[in-house]
Amino acid sequence: MESSYCLTDDILNWMKESRSLGVFTTDERLNIKSTNEWLQTRSQCNPDEVKDRYLFEVYPEILSRQLHVYYDQAIQGQMSILTRHSIEYLIQLPSSFEDYSHMQQNAIIAPLLDWNKVVGTITIIDDVTSKHLMPLKKKLFIKDELCAQDEWQLTFDAVPDLIAIIDKDHRIKRINKSMADSLGIKPEDAIGKFCYQLVHRTTSPPFFCPHNKLLRDGEPHSSDFYEETLKKYLNVTVIPCFDSEKNLISSIHIARDISEQLRNEQLLKNLSITDELTGLYNRKGFMTLTKQMMNTANRLSYRMLIFFMDLNGMKFINEIFGHLEGDHALRGAATILRNTFRETDIIARYGGDEFIVSAMLTGDADYNKIIERLDKKVNLFNAQISKIYKLSFSIGVAIYDPNRPVSLEDLISLADALMREVKYKTKLRDEDNSIENE
């Protein structure tokens, strides 16, 4: 989410003085915070009476006509550009032309941001009634329209998203300042150029082009992709524009930089499946990824191994040396497992002092060889650290055969039971050795 489209002094002054555009703002709860004179005059609303009132209470037609969804999107950080063709009007205001009973409107509904936090919304309404009258009537209002266009351009350039208006031949009719800055050009330099040549540096539209889809069906479309030219991940939404006879003439492209959003989503995903102490997968990560591995094993008819391991002596380490040293021991165990298993194997801390690994068994691989390798890595690790205690594992191994499929939960239970059996036998052997030494 971009850290702009905030209420600067320039925008505030423009809002108050605008003669051709209606503007109002809300807080994040959609309570009205300000309205400009244009809107006050046409809606005959007293600014003191509407201030801090719920938007849909003041303008119930927004809710009744299902246009409230655009405010839900604005609170989520998404801007919407609504055309007269798609909505006819946002707020029902009287028209000064006998041809229409109420004003025809284009509208922008956008989030107000304080850095990365949405603090409210801003709505900008353009009266386009005169633009849809007969050509003769249009000429009478050309001066007012030029004024409106200038103010609309100010709005166009204030939006942080990259916006372009593109005709049916993929030629650019207009871009806003944000898009021009991203491309390193002036807005006027883009006019008339093919969008795919200017943005994608290709000789034809790319396969994911939402504009092509819009040209086929006249409907809005959206696409996410990585744009090499801008070095950004973008979400591009295209909205159709029609003339007074409902012929498709162009589309509005709104491109939003979602690179940071994707990075945050990946970070959250990684955090949700990673054990904070060891950096290995946690139980959730293990279950999710191993089930995917099982699907692959079934498809390729490969066997799979589940190693369930308990780090021996953790109670002794915690009681004698403290839990901080216990944490060091767990991280040491994680290091040993990383050095033993392959990158394609799934290594996790299952909980407490228990670790679990899933590995595809290919070729003539033998799990006994893997355990031998693990023993060597354990011995090497113990030799390299100057600790009174030594690390070791009790291990149980379960084999998954796609010809006799069982659930992952059953496999884990089997490996766990085998591990506990090994641990019990080791305990009995240690006790016997202790008695013999006495």
Side-chain angles (χ1 to χ4, degrees), residues 190-300:
I191 297 175
K193 294 183 179 178
F194 290 109
C195 58
Y196 49 83
Q197 290 180 345
L198 185 64
V199 178
H200 307 296
R201 310 290 169 82
T202 58
T203 57
S204 61
F207 71 92
F208 53 76
C209 176
H211 185 65
N212 269 346
K213 297 177 183 178
L214 178 143
L215 292 176
R216 287 194 292 269
D217 59 22
E219 297 293 330
H221 288 278
S222 183
S223 178
D224 292 347
F225 57 89
Y226 180 76
E227 179 47 59
E228 181 65 32
T229 304
L230 302 177
K231 306 297 182 184
K232 295 177 179 178
Y233 286 95
L234 299 175
N235 167 262
V236 175
T237 300
V238 292
I239 303 170
C241 294
F242 300 86
D243 62 18
S244 58
E245 297 180 356
K246 299 185 178 181
N247 297 313
L248 179 67
I249 56 174
S250 61
S251 73
I252 300 173
H253 280 51
I254 307 170
R256 167 156 297 179
D257 182 1
I258 58 173
S259 304
E260 186 66 25
Q261 174 186 335
L262 291 178
R263 281 193 292 268
N264 289 338
E265 288 176 355
Q266 186 61 45
L267 176 61
L268 289 173
K269 180 181 178 182
N270 291 341
L271 288 174
S272 72
I273 63 174
T274 303
D275 176 60
E276 184 178 359
L277 177 64
T278 64
L280 301 177
Y281 290 115
N282 59 19
R283 184 182 299 198
K284 176 183 177 183
F286 177 83
M287 299 298 290
T288 301
L289 297 175
T290 301
K291 285 180 179 179
Q292 295 175 5
M293 182 184 282
M294 290 181 73
N295 291 335
T296 302
N298 289 331
R299 189 171 64 252
L300 301 178

Side-chain angles (χ1 to χ4, degrees), residues 372-386:
E372 287 177 8
R373 185 166 69 244
L374 176 58
D375 287 339
K376 290 180 180 178
K377 296 295 183 181
V378 168
N379 293 333
L380 179 61
F381 183 86
N382 285 329
Q384 291 175 340
I385 61 172
S386 56

Side-chain angles (χ1 to χ4, degrees), residues 302-303 342 359-366:
Y302 285 163
R303 291 186 302 162
R342 302 166 298 186
M360 198 79 77
L361 192 60
T362 58
D364 58 353
D366 183 353

Side-chain angles (χ1 to χ4, degrees), residues 129-145:
T129 311
S130 63
K131 300 176 185 179
H132 296 278
L133 296 175
M134 293 173 14
L136 180 62
K137 291 187 178 182
K138 283 187 183 180
K139 293 178 182 179
L140 298 176
F141 303 99
I142 187 168
K143 183 176 179 180
D144 287 340
E145 287 188 25

Side-chain angles (χ1 to χ4, degrees), residues 91-133:
I91 296 174
Q92 189 168 348
L93 300 175
S95 170
S96 56
F97 304 99
E98 60 182 17
D99 303 71
Y100 292 99
S101 59
H102 47 264
M103 183 187 297
Q104 306 296 289
Q105 300 165 0
N106 290 339
I108 291 177
I109 301 171
L112 284 176
L113 309 178
D114 182 5
W115 291 100
N116 287 332
K117 181 182 179 182
V118 177
V119 295
T121 69
I122 181 169
T123 302
I124 303 164
I125 298 172
D126 182 17
D127 179 3
V128 295
T129 311
S130 63
K131 300 176 185 179
H132 296 278
L133 296 175

Side-chain angles (χ1 to χ4, degrees), residues 14-15 21-25 34-36 38-39 122-125:
W14 164 70
M15 283 172 49
L21 297 174
V23 184
F24 65 86
T25 65
S34 64
T35 57
N36 74 338
W38 184 98
L39 185 60
I122 181 169
T123 302
I124 303 164
I125 298 172

